[in-house]
Amino acid sequence: MIHYYIMLASIVLVILLIVSIFRILREYERGVIFMLGRFYRVKGPGLIIVIPLIQQMVRVDIRTVVMDVPTQDVISRDNVSVMVNAVVYYRVIDSQKAIINVENFHDATSQLAQTTLRSVLGQYELDDMLSSRDTLNQAIQAILDQQTDIWGIKVSNVEIKHVDLNESMIRAIAKQAESERERRAKVIHALGEQEAAEKLSEAAKILSSQPQALQLRYLQTLTEIAGEHSNTIVFPLPVDLMKTFGNS
């Protein structure tokens, strides 16, 4: 009876050993194989064989990871405190480097993204953070991609999601925008007055060269005044007009 149980246990052990030899990796997975502690090769996807006790396998997901960068307190170049968060898109392109060169590539990339976000944004003023996000995204992405290359990581995109300001800074920006609009309105009004003065000057030169044209313009003005709903019309009588009637 004892021999029977020993035989049954041996069969079960052999079956488990055989089953453990075979591993199945999905299309988006790779297996980093170590033989006696040393790197052997990268296998997958599909059915692979791992020799128990001699070889060990570490699974690596090579799909694009969407990593949310926690909100960071950033001091801009013009000494304005803002709260900024972002999102980073990256994927593993070299499974060997991702496992051997860094302990945890996801945590390492996350910490590097946070420090890079603070470092890069601190070199720009607040207006640039609000208006030039594409430039900032590209700068952060280039730095992350370069520094994570040794880890076998490819950072494909970085997007700044929110730039939050305190209430006092929001009011200051609103006042600045209002003042800017008033300045533009005054400039536009002044340019209009300048153009009108130039046109009037040109018209005066043309009318002064032709006395008949001046008289016609005068009569046209009287016609326009007469068309208005008014009881009394007071207008000066030009001396040149009297001379014209006297000569006739």
Side-chain angles (χ1 to χ4, degrees):
M1 192 69 177
I2 298 177
H3 294 287
Y4 173 75
Y5 285 114
I6 294 176
M7 183 180 299
L8 182 61
S10 301
I11 294 174
V12 172
L13 182 61
V14 171
I15 293 174
L16 293 177
L17 185 63
I18 295 175
V19 171
S20 64
I21 292 176
F22 299 99
R23 304 290 178 84
I24 297 177
L25 297 178
R26 296 181 177 89
E27 184 67 30
Y28 56 84
E29 291 180 328
R30 298 294 183 271
V32 180
I33 306 300
F34 294 89
M35 180 175 291
L36 299 177
R38 297 180 63 85
F39 171 75
Y40 175 59
R41 59 181 298 185
V42 177
K43 293 184 178 182
L47 180 65
I48 65 173
I49 297 177
V50 179
I51 302 175
L53 303 178
I54 297 177
Q55 294 180 340
Q56 294 83 33
M57 184 190 71
V58 180
R59 293 176 182 263
V60 179
D61 194 327
I62 62 172
R63 292 177 294 181
T64 298
V65 178
V66 182
M67 182 180 64
D68 187 41
V69 180
T71 302
Q72 303 294 311
D73 188 2
V74 179
I75 304 298
S76 64
R77 188 176 180 180
D78 49 351
N79 296 324
V80 178
S81 178
V82 294
M83 305 297 292
V84 183
N85 61 353
V87 60
V88 176
Y89 299 85
Y90 77 91
R91 62 186 180 91
V92 177
I93 59 175
D94 191 327
S95 302
Q96 176 184 351
K97 292 181 179 179
I99 297 301
I100 296 177
N101 293 353
V102 62
E103 180 180 2
N104 189 318
F105 61 85
H106 181 78
D107 291 344
T109 304
S110 176
Q111 294 297 324
L112 181 61
Q114 296 177 36
T115 56
T116 304
L117 182 66
R118 292 194 300 267
S119 175
V120 172
L121 295 185
Q123 301 175 9
Y124 291 84
E125 297 183 355
L126 178 61
D127 293 340
D128 297 329
M129 294 184 190
L130 299 176
S131 61
S132 303
R133 290 195 180 185
D134 291 340
T135 302
L136 298 178
N137 292 336
Q138 294 175 3
I140 297 173
Q141 186 267 336
I143 295 175
L144 287 178
D145 190 34
Q146 179 182 3
Q147 295 187 3
T148 58
D149 183 66
I150 193 175
W151 301 338
I153 303 295
K154 172 64 178 178
V155 178
S156 58
N157 194 15
V158 176
E159 293 290 341
I160 297 175
K161 295 195 296 184
H162 298 292
V163 179
D164 297 329
L165 305 172
N166 54 39
E167 293 296 331
S168 60
M169 184 56 61
I170 293 176
R171 289 193 297 268
I173 293 177
K175 291 180 180 179
Q176 180 184 2
E178 183 178 358
S179 300
E180 180 65 20
R181 287 194 297 268
E182 292 179 356
R183 183 188 69 84
R184 292 180 181 178
K186 292 179 179 179
V187 170
I188 293 173
H189 180 72
L191 291 176
E193 292 292 337
Q194 180 182 0
E195 292 179 0
E198 292 176 355
K199 296 300 181 181
L200 288 175
S201 176
E202 294 176 2
K205 291 179 181 179
I206 296 174
L207 292 175
S208 62
S209 62
Q210 298 291 335
Q212 294 80 4
L214 181 61
Q215 294 175 10
L216 292 175
R217 182 58 182 166
Y218 179 76
L219 294 175
Q220 184 180 0
T221 303
L222 293 179
T223 303
E224 293 175 357
I225 295 175
E228 298 180 358
H229 299 284
S230 59
N231 296 327
T232 304
I233 299 176
V234 179
F235 60 90
L237 185 63
V239 179
D240 294 340
L241 184 61
M242 298 300 296
K243 291 182 179 179
T244 303
F245 286 115
N247 293 332
S248 62

